Amino acid sequence: MAVKIPQGVRGMNDTFPEESVAWQALEGDLRALLALYGYGEVRLPLLESTDLFARAIGDVTDIVQKEMYTFVDRNGDSLTLRPEGTAGCARAAIQARRLRGQTPRFYYLGPMFRHERPQKGRYRQFHQLGVEVFGLSAASIDAEVIALSARVLRTAGVTASLQINSLGSPAARLRYRALLLDYLRPRRAELCVDCRERMEHNPLRVLDCKVAVCQDIAHAAPRLVDHLDEDSFLHFNSLQGLLTALEIPYQINHRLVRGLDYYNRTVFEWVTDALGAQGTVLAGGRYDGLVAQLGGADTPAMGFAVGLERLLALQRLQSGVADVVPPLLFLGALEDAAVARTWQIAERLRDAGLSVVTGGPTHFKQLMKQAERSRARFQGMVGGEQLAGAALRLKEQAGNGQWQGSLNAIHEGLHSLGVDFPERAPHTVRNFATARTSL
Ligand code: HAM
């Protein structure tokens, strides 16, 4: 009877080494970039209490109503796999008392979970790099965070367009909400089914609906920007001046409202039409009320998250793919008796920071196949003759480079073939006292 092969969960992807290289390269570059702006990494749990997300993201958002992976654990507590990182980051900062008189800049990188309908660019487990800065309320920090987001895209080698908007203060938004409802109610029958449903509890979401009739109606709706409170209006103007000074082109999108409830004032998205329906690569904004709403002291905050799957998809389209770095050397053992010595040599070379893939013990033809598949730059085969003193032959697999000599002189052989030995081998013990940095 055929055994049923286990399948992964729909919308959750496996990533193999050929693809992981692009992830690793990007993650490494982004970590280095974040250090330039003074951000330090927070590593947060994947699970939080369900209540946190309901309070932070909002009870009537799509995420909380339809998309969370929620379960009751063995203690009877309701837990949820994080659908995003801002709520957990704020929770952690409050809990660890990191916000008192401080202005921390945090970033996180890892998986998020949303039970959405999977399609290209939309997954149920996806990955975000998120940044959050707390304690700063001026438009200057909005500009700096947006400049950082622009550089995230540049670092990845992609281009997209920046859209910004201001949601104003909660009070101004409430007044605007009433105006918008007055405008929408007589047009209710024309709206799509979803908008008809979401209109009463979250009318602003009608503004960014993708359905054509809803877009037409949204187009002619009263504009939020015309109903901002004065402080938010000045804040928005100041941000625009700074973006111009920093030479970051932007468009004001009056219908940009975001799908999470914690935002106020600045919201922004980097969008592209190169990715089909899932065109938002990076998104964020200001959320000055969230920390207080979660029980912390009144603390302004601002941040964004970039979807790494979408960023990498755009990178593939616009800059090509990063390739796996093949190992330097394939070292094969031709018989049992050669294994110990071959493995010793491989360990020695790895001590010196060179990458070595071993093969065997098996016959020559099989080893040659393995060597080719490894894509190593050089290959060498060790048998009884080499152990007894016959010359080892190192051969370049894709070129004509060759060296012959004693097994013990393999370092010199590689050197003569142009291999550079790294100054400090990786994975050697670091001096932790000097490596420690404070942010
Ligand atoms: P968000 O707009 O929900 O914001 O998500 C940010 C980004 O995550 C999106 O622009 C997209 O690239 C990616 N993303 C979201 N859902 C999926 C999915 N199902 N599949 C693939 N990628 C997805 C937030 O999460 C906020 N926490 C951002 C933020 C941080 N605001 C302030 N600080």
Side-chain angles (χ1 to χ4, degrees):
M1 200 177 71
V3 179
K4 196 162 171 243
I5 298 170
Q7 301 293 304
V9 178
R10 202 162 108 81
M12 303 200 179
N13 300 317
D14 305 305
T15 304
F16 288 98
E18 310 79 79
E19 286 172 78
S20 295
V21 270
W23 283 82
Q24 287 175 351
L26 181 65
E27 287 167 2
D29 291 349
L30 292 178
R31 286 178 192 280
L33 168 61
L34 287 154
L36 294 184
Y37 284 77
Y39 282 77
E41 185 180 17
V42 283
R43 296 188 176 222
L44 303 166
L46 303 192
L47 283 175
E48 298 275 358
S49 36
T50 304
D51 175 56
L52 171 70
F53 299 117
R55 280 170 66 185
I57 300 171
D59 270 336
V60 292
T61 56
D62 284 352
I63 297 181
V64 170
Q65 290 210 320
K66 305 187 208 154
E67 296 170 3
M68 297 205 304
Y69 281 90
T70 297
F71 65 96
V72 176
D73 78 356
R74 286 165 196 275
N75 300 333
D77 297 326
S78 177
L79 302 180
T80 292
L81 275 168
R82 61 182 190 189
E84 60 102 53
T86 308
C89 190
R91 192 269 309 140
I94 298 167
Q95 194 178 336
R97 301 175 194 279
R98 294 290 185 124
L99 302 178
R100 300 198 167 164
Q102 302 175 65
T103 58
R105 288 164 157 87
F106 293 134
Y107 80 87
Y108 48 84
L109 204 161
M112 306 290 162
F113 303 84
R114 295 186 195 175
H115 195 275
E116 297 189 77
R117 205 157 46 78
Q119 54 172 253
K120 194 165 152 265
R122 188 163 75 192
Y123 309 103
R124 288 180 171 172
Q125 175 174 322
F126 59 98
H127 297 76
Q128 283 186 346
L129 164 76
V131 313
E132 317 289 357
V133 45
F134 295 93
L136 298 168
S137 60
S140 51
I141 196 70
D142 302 29
E144 188 182 273
V145 166
I146 292 177
L148 167 58
S149 73
R151 215 188 270 259
V152 163
L153 301 186
R154 233 180 303 148
T155 300
V158 308
T159 55
S161 319
L162 172 63
Q163 301 192 341
I164 62 172
N165 195 17
S166 175
L167 299 181
S169 67
R173 196 150 80 244
L174 217 60
R175 284 195 299 275
Y176 171 75
R177 186 182 186 276
L179 270 177
L180 183 63
L181 264 177
D182 286 346
Y183 167 82
L184 291 175
R185 280 202 181 114
R187 294 164 178 83
R188 187 172 187 277
E190 297 162 56
L191 294 171
C192 76
V193 186
D194 281 348
C195 282
R196 256 178 266 164
E197 196 196 307
R198 61 164 83 103
M199 193 181 94
E200 291 298 330
H201 51 76
N202 205 351
L204 267 71
R205 286 316 305 273
V206 176
L207 296 179
D208 74 351
C209 177
K210 303 285 178 283
V211 176
V213 274
C214 300
Q215 286 195 345
D216 288 345
I217 291 174
H219 224 87
R223 299 185 325 174
L224 188 50
V225 74
D226 298 328
H227 301 275
L228 291 181
D229 52 295
E230 175 154 13
D231 284 350
S232 297
F233 183 76
L234 294 174
H235 185 100
F236 196 38
N237 268 349
S238 162
L239 169 64
Q240 291 174 51
L242 287 166
L243 290 177
T244 305
L246 292 170
E247 297 178 33
I248 301 173
Y250 63 88
Q251 277 177 334
I252 298 178
N253 176 354
H254 296 293
R255 293 182 308 281
L256 179 61
V257 293
R258 309 279 298 123
L260 305 96
D261 279 356
Y262 47 61
Y263 293 110
N264 67 306
R265 295 199 173 166
T266 309
V267 288
F268 69 101
E269 291 189 354
W270 286 91
V271 296
T272 170
D273 41 28
L275 293 178
Q278 304 308 318
T280 307
V281 184
L282 182 156
R286 187 164 269 293
Y287 50 98
D288 296 331
L290 180 64
V291 172
Q293 194 186 313
L294 294 178
D298 223 347
T299 308
M302 165 89 191
F304 67 76
V306 55
L308 295 181
E309 282 82 0
R310 292 188 193 171
L311 190 58
L312 284 163
L314 203 54
Q315 183 180 64
R316 268 196 300 278
L317 285 173
Q318 296 182 340
S319 305
V321 282
D323 199 4
V324 180
V325 179
L328 179 79
L329 175 66
F330 178 91
L331 207 55
L334 287 159
E335 53 200 272
D336 281 341
V339 169
R341 186 75 190 108
T342 308
W343 263 233
Q344 275 174 358
I345 291 170
E347 284 295 308
R348 219 51 71 66
L349 293 170
R350 292 173 188 136
D351 284 344
L354 303 182
S355 54
V356 184
V357 170
T358 53
T362 186
H363 54 83
F364 186 75
K365 231 169 123 184
Q366 185 68 27
L367 278 186
M368 285 302 282
K369 256 196 229 155
Q370 288 180 14
E372 208 174 296
R373 243 180 260 143
S374 77
R375 294 172 58 209
R377 191 163 147 213
F378 302 104
Q379 50 108 322
M381 309 300 177
V382 183
E385 292 169 28
Q386 281 71 33
L387 295 180
L392 167 79
R393 216 148 64 107
L394 287 182
K395 274 179 53 178
E396 197 170 13
Q397 297 215 93
N400 302 323
Q402 282 218 26
W403 172 87
Q404 288 199 47
S406 142
L407 209 48
N408 297 330
I410 191 165
H411 282 75
E412 284 109 87
L414 288 167
H415 196 69
S416 74
L417 286 167
V419 172
D420 285 331
F421 286 70
E423 273 180 24
R424 186 176 62 75
H427 314 305
T428 50
V429 178
R430 285 169 202 260
N431 180 345
F432 285 106
T434 56
R436 198 175 295 141
T437 54
S438 58
L439 281 175

